[in-house]
């Protein structure tokens, strides 16, 4: 009796595993539309933050990966496209943050220079 119950249960588990694997494989091969949108938005943010001037190498790397991701997606290589888009997003965020840090450094240097000029004139801030 237990053997008769175990067989259908084993088949159900096997069938469930096959269905789950198929569903996961389908998700993994879906076009990376969201990742491409996020990478594009991150690139726009980096450009707006001044990365073209203050972090050109990082911005160029992000743009190249983004373009490669679009090419891979067009060819149907969705896993590669997804990975490249995610890398492009991270590189664009790095470029944006590096540009922000450089703006902060420049602003700090300007304030320090102003303070030094005031001190030289004998004026205490």
């Amino acid at each position: 009796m237990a053997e008769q119950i175990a067989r259908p249960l084993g088949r159900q588990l096997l069938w469930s595993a096959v269905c789950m694997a198929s569903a996961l494989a389908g998700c993994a091969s879906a076009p990376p539309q969201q990742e491409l949108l996020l990478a594009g938005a991150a690139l726009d943010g980096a450009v707006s933050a001044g990365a073209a001037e203050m972090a050109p190498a990082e911005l160029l790397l992000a743009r190249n990966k983004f373009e490669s991701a679009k090419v891979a997606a067009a060819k149907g290589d969705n896993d590669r496209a997804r990975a490249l888009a995610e890398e492009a997003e991270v590189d664009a965020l790095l470029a944006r943050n590096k540009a922000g840090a450089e703006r902060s450094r420049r602003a700090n240097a300007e304030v320090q220079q102003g303070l030094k000029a005031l001190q030289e004139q004998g004026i205490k801030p």
Side-chain angles (χ1 to χ4, degrees), residues 1-27:
M1 176 87 173
E3 186 178 309
Q4 290 175 344
I5 293 173
R7 282 186 186 158
L9 182 60
R11 287 184 189 143
Q12 286 176 341
L13 289 174
L14 179 62
W15 179 249
S16 295
V18 168
C19 288
M20 198 177 313
S22 296
L24 291 174
C27 292

Side-chain angles (χ1 to χ4, degrees), residues 15-55:
W15 179 249
S16 295
V18 168
C19 288
M20 198 177 313
S22 296
L24 291 174
C27 292
S29 63
Q33 295 171 346
Q34 183 176 0
E35 290 85 351
L36 288 169
L37 288 173
L38 290 172
L43 277 166
D44 291 343
V47 170
S48 295
E53 176 192 346
M54 295 180 243

Side-chain angles (χ1 to χ4, degrees), residues 2 19 30 57 67 86 104 108-109 120:
C19 288
E67 291 303 318
E86 289 170 351
S104 295
N108 183 44
E120 288 173 356

Side-chain angles (χ1 to χ4, degrees), residues 54-75:
M54 295 180 243
E58 291 81 1
L59 184 61
L60 179 62
L61 185 62
R63 283 181 172 157
N64 289 342
K65 286 181 181 178
F66 183 62
E67 291 303 318
S68 295
K70 291 193 297 187
V71 169
K75 290 181 178 179

